[in-house]
Amino acid sequence: MNEQHVALAGSTRPAMAGATRLRDAHPEDPVKVTLTLRGKVAPAGQIPDERRQDAEETKAALERYGLTVDDVRLEPGSIVATGPVSAMNAAFKTNLGIYHTPEHGEFRGREGELHIPAGLEGKVTGVFGLDQRQVARRRDAGGSGFAGSLTPADLERQYNFPAGDGAGQKIAIAEFGGCYFDDDLQAFRAAHDVQGQQVQIVPLDFAPPRTMQEVKQLPPAEQKFAVGAAREVMMDVEIVAGFCPAAEISVYFANFDQRGWIEVLDQAIADKPVTLSVSWGLSEDDPNWSQTALDQINKRLQGAADLGITVCVASGDDGSGDQMVDGRCHVDFPSTSPFVLSVGGTMIDSSGREVSWWEAPGHRTRTGGGATGGGVSTKFDRPDYQKHIKVDSLNPGSIQGRVVPDVAALAGSPGYDLLFQGAPFPAGGTSASAPLWASLIARINALLPTDKQQRFLTPFLYDSGTNGRPLGEVACRDIAVGHDNASLPPAVGYPVLPGYDASTGWGTPDGVALLKGLH
């Protein structure tokens, strides 16, 4: 076919650092992609005619190349198509290959810029799923629990949760790989005397193993990743189920590539939970992100916010460096999106005070360590609701970008009282503080008047209430002490100060005060 093609803006991807191209992808290997269309997320019943026309033209173009269109989602503007490698190469003028890294093994990838049929220029904004490199990194993981860890009841007291069990609320959890072990959830519920309905597992092109026997059928490299991710999956689920046992809990499982993010957010837009908990991310400056992915994920986050979904995102566990080693400060995406609630971390020190989370050397190592992510975005402008926040970037010449986190909760010592494979497994990280906040938001939503339910929380925290003070100042307990979030590199971090700061945001929640402020 001699159809003219044009470059797809923002689609350039470099070779993945440390990856070796082994061979061309086999021409007949199956591939599934998600294409994104121009325009904002449109609520059902308000789909513009332009969106329908774009979808029809895109479907026709894909079919000309022998691709099969499996799903057309008009609300977010996404089209899912399948076909062999040869057809994908022809449709998007790329050269798919099989790459290898020691950490991830073999995966399908690409380099350079994508091209789309000329008739789709300005209509198709992204093509995701051709490249399977990982762009989701998990934010790692003295109460009455095992070895002094905090039980759900301890944390409810710590953060003054309002009464309730989440009845009538829909809570979603995003997972990229891993397993789900229902036996662990049932053991956790029995240990903490909380009963709830069945958790709904939603496979989005990834069906998680449900037993260790299924895990052992995987290749050795995949087994290691699956078990490691399973600990984090079960932490998310147990935290939410501990605070909101009567809620409708859905766990979205997707692959950890760029397409997986689109699939998760499209599902959330369709389901409209009151909150979505996300404990994954990657530095917004990481070259493995394409600009189109940042744009299209952010667009869907904006659509979710418009629908009143508060997406709670972990701010990261590696301090101001965020696992980048260029000597500059970095922050994590999608935590830096203006359309999420970014959640940082705290710990309880030896004197019993809750302070900002920092354990030497300020980032994760094989022997421990970690620190709350936080700082100033280089990718997203400071939103209007943060215009009065006086935090400057520590990077010379950087923009006055979005500041994260917005709030915080326990991430470090003494950890959360959890179970894994039938044994006590105290854990934490901002992976834990994000589902805690998601659970609190659901508990509060259930107690609000109908006309004040299902609202995107973040801007309200920065608005002044009837007393002239921001809600975040009134409804959060300020964390004004603790180490800054420096990591090495860089050697500088954002200080912990009275009031809002870029390590713990407004602080940790006072649930009853937050309910009162939103009422």
Side-chain angles (χ1 to χ4, degrees):
M1 186 178 295
N2 295 320
E3 185 173 11
Q4 184 179 358
H5 280 62
V6 296
L8 178 60
S11 64
T12 301
R13 302 194 85 180
M16 185 176 185
T20 301
R21 184 178 175 111
L22 302 179
R23 59 188 180 275
D24 291 345
H26 192 283
E28 299 305 315
D29 281 352
V31 180
K32 180 178 283 190
V33 294
T34 300
L35 285 76
T36 55
L37 303 177
R38 62 181 168 179
K40 295 182 177 181
V41 172
Q46 301 179 33
I47 308 297
D49 291 339
E50 179 184 71
R51 173 73 51 80
R52 299 181 190 279
Q53 182 66 30
D54 288 349
E56 290 175 5
E57 293 179 12
T58 302
K59 180 176 184 292
L62 295 174
E63 289 173 343
R64 288 199 298 273
Y65 286 88
L67 301 176
T68 301
V69 173
D70 300 313
D71 193 11
V72 177
R73 306 168 187 151
L74 292 176
E75 190 174 357
S78 302
I79 294 179
V80 178
T82 51
V85 163
S86 58
M88 296 291 176
N89 281 341
F92 305 115
K93 300 299 181 185
T94 189
N95 180 22
L96 297 177
I98 302 301
Y99 294 75
H100 177 273
T101 69
E103 181 180 0
H104 302 120
E106 292 189 7
F107 64 93
R108 187 179 66 242
R110 67 174 181 86
E111 301 171 39
E113 194 170 38
L114 294 178
H115 292 74
I116 56 175
L120 302 182
E121 185 175 15
K123 301 169 185 176
V124 169
T125 55
V127 180
F128 305 100
L130 297 170
D131 192 318
Q132 296 176 309
R133 76 182 73 180
Q134 182 173 348
V135 292
R137 184 179 65 229
R138 184 72 192 196
R139 315 268 61 88
D140 247 358
S144 58
F146 180 79
S149 57
L150 300 188
T151 67
D154 293 331
L155 288 157
E156 286 181 345
R157 288 189 293 270
Q158 179 79 10
Y159 296 130
N160 197 22
F161 269 52
D165 57 10
Q169 304 303 299
K170 294 172 68 173
I171 304 172
I173 301 170
E175 302 294 353
F176 296 91
C179 317
Y180 174 74
F181 301 135
D182 192 63
D183 286 350
D184 278 338
L185 176 59
Q186 300 314 320
F188 173 84
R189 283 173 162 167
H192 296 288
D193 195 25
V194 291
Q195 299 302 316
Q197 57 184 308
Q198 187 73 25
V199 169
Q200 182 182 12
I201 303 303
V202 184
L204 302 174
D205 294 327
F206 177 86
R210 302 290 191 97
T211 66
M212 284 302 296
Q213 186 172 358
E214 290 182 23
V215 173
K216 291 176 181 176
Q217 304 304 310
L218 299 173
E222 292 183 28
Q223 287 185 36
K224 182 178 179 182
F225 177 84
V227 172
R231 293 188 180 97
E232 307 291 343
V233 170
M234 295 314 302
M235 177 172 69
D236 286 345
V237 174
E238 289 175 16
I239 289 172
V240 173
F243 292 126
C244 296
E248 180 182 329
I249 302 171
S250 298
V251 187
Y252 303 154
F253 278 92
N255 291 308
F256 53 46
D257 54 16
Q258 293 188 145
R259 181 174 178 269
W261 286 96
I262 301 293
E263 293 298 295
V264 162
L265 293 172
D266 279 4
Q267 188 68 44
I269 287 167
D271 290 349
K272 299 175 180 58
V274 66
T275 184
L276 168 66
S277 179
V278 181
S279 296
W280 301 74
L282 198 65
S283 172
E284 62 178 12
D285 302 306
D286 193 296
N288 288 310
W289 287 118
S290 69
Q291 187 59 49
T292 52
L294 294 176
D295 292 343
Q296 293 306 310
I297 293 168
N298 193 55
K299 184 179 90 170
R300 280 156 176 75
L301 290 169
Q302 182 177 12
D306 289 344
L307 292 170
I309 303 169
T310 299
V311 181
C312 299
V313 184
S315 72
D317 293 356
D318 295 286
S320 59
D322 201 28
Q323 290 197 7
M324 302 289 280
V325 292
D326 58 2
R328 292 172 63 82
C329 293
H330 296 272
V331 280
D332 217 65
F333 180 79
S335 171
T336 52
S337 168
F339 307 109
V340 307
L341 181 74
S342 175
V343 185
T346 63
M347 66 182 192
I348 298 175
D349 69 12
S350 57
S351 70
R353 297 182 307 172
E354 190 163 12
V355 301
S356 64
W357 177 39
W358 190 91
E359 299 174 55
H363 59 87
R364 288 168 292 172
T365 69
R366 292 182 182 275
T367 57
T372 179
V376 180
S377 174
T378 63
K379 298 287 187 180
F380 297 95
D381 291 334
R382 193 159 300 185
D384 286 342
Y385 60 75
Q386 279 193 329
K387 290 297 186 184
H388 64 285
I389 296 298
K390 306 299 183 185
V391 176
D392 294 327
S393 175
L394 295 178
N395 294 322
S398 182
I399 66 170
Q400 289 291 93
R402 157 81 154 123
V403 189
V404 294
D406 299 301
V407 293
L410 183 70
S413 177
Y416 292 67
D417 192 54
L418 306 168
L419 285 168
F420 183 73
Q421 289 297 283
F425 183 69
T430 56
S431 287
S433 50
L436 181 146
W437 264 95
S439 302
L440 176 60
I441 289 167
R443 288 264 288 258
I444 287 173
N445 195 68
L447 299 172
L448 290 171
T450 303
D451 63 341
K452 293 187 177 180
Q453 292 181 348
Q454 195 81 24
R455 297 181 297 174
F456 173 45
L457 173 63
T458 306
F460 288 98
L461 296 173
Y462 296 86
D463 283 347
S464 297
T466 55
N467 59 4
R469 297 168 62 197
L471 177 61
E473 183 180 304
V474 175
C476 293
R477 294 164 176 164
D478 187 25
I479 303 298
V481 293
H483 199 289
D484 62 30
N485 68 343
S487 59
L488 185 64
V492 293
Y494 289 87
V496 183
L497 302 168
Y500 180 90
D501 60 56
S503 283
T504 59
W506 290 110
T508 60
D510 179 331
V512 171
L514 184 57
L515 170 63
K516 182 179 179 181
L518 293 171
H519 206 282

